[in-house]
């Protein structure tokens, strides 16, 4: 199974809360509604159907530059 991560926080309408994990030391960036939601790794994990996953929490949104 690919390395997955659980997302916490951010917009309520963010579709996927289990996503491909970022490489160690990098933040996750998820395209959403014309911008990007940024998530940072935490020291926490979450158990679920996919197994134990690292938790990334939302910390900012940026707009896509045109």
């Amino acid at each position: 199974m690919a390395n997955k991560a659980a997302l916490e926080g951010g917009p309520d309408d963010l579709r996927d809360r289990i996503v491909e994990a970022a490489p160690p030391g990098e933040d996750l960036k998820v395209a959403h509604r014309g911008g990007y939601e940024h998530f940072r790794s935490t020291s926490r994990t979450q158990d679920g159907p996919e197994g134990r996953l690292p938790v990334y929490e939302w910390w900012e949104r940026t707009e896509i530059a045109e």
Side-chain angles (χ1 to χ4, degrees):
M1 173 183 268
N3 193 21
K4 300 285 185 178
L7 302 182
E8 185 176 89
D12 289 336
D13 64 341
L14 190 62
R15 214 169 84 188
D16 296 319
R17 292 293 175 163
I18 305 297
V19 298
E20 196 81 22
E26 291 187 23
D27 294 338
L28 269 167
K29 182 168 81 169
V30 178
H32 181 69
R33 292 185 156 214
Y36 292 103
E37 305 301 334
H38 297 264
F39 294 83
R40 286 191 172 158
S41 180
T42 70
S43 60
R44 295 178 286 122
T45 59
Q46 173 181 305
D47 291 327
E50 299 86 0
R52 181 167 283 175
L53 302 176
V55 174
Y56 282 68
E57 66 182 5
W58 183 89
W59 68 278
E60 79 170 338
R61 175 179 172 76
T62 56
E63 298 296 322
I64 295 175
E66 294 186 34

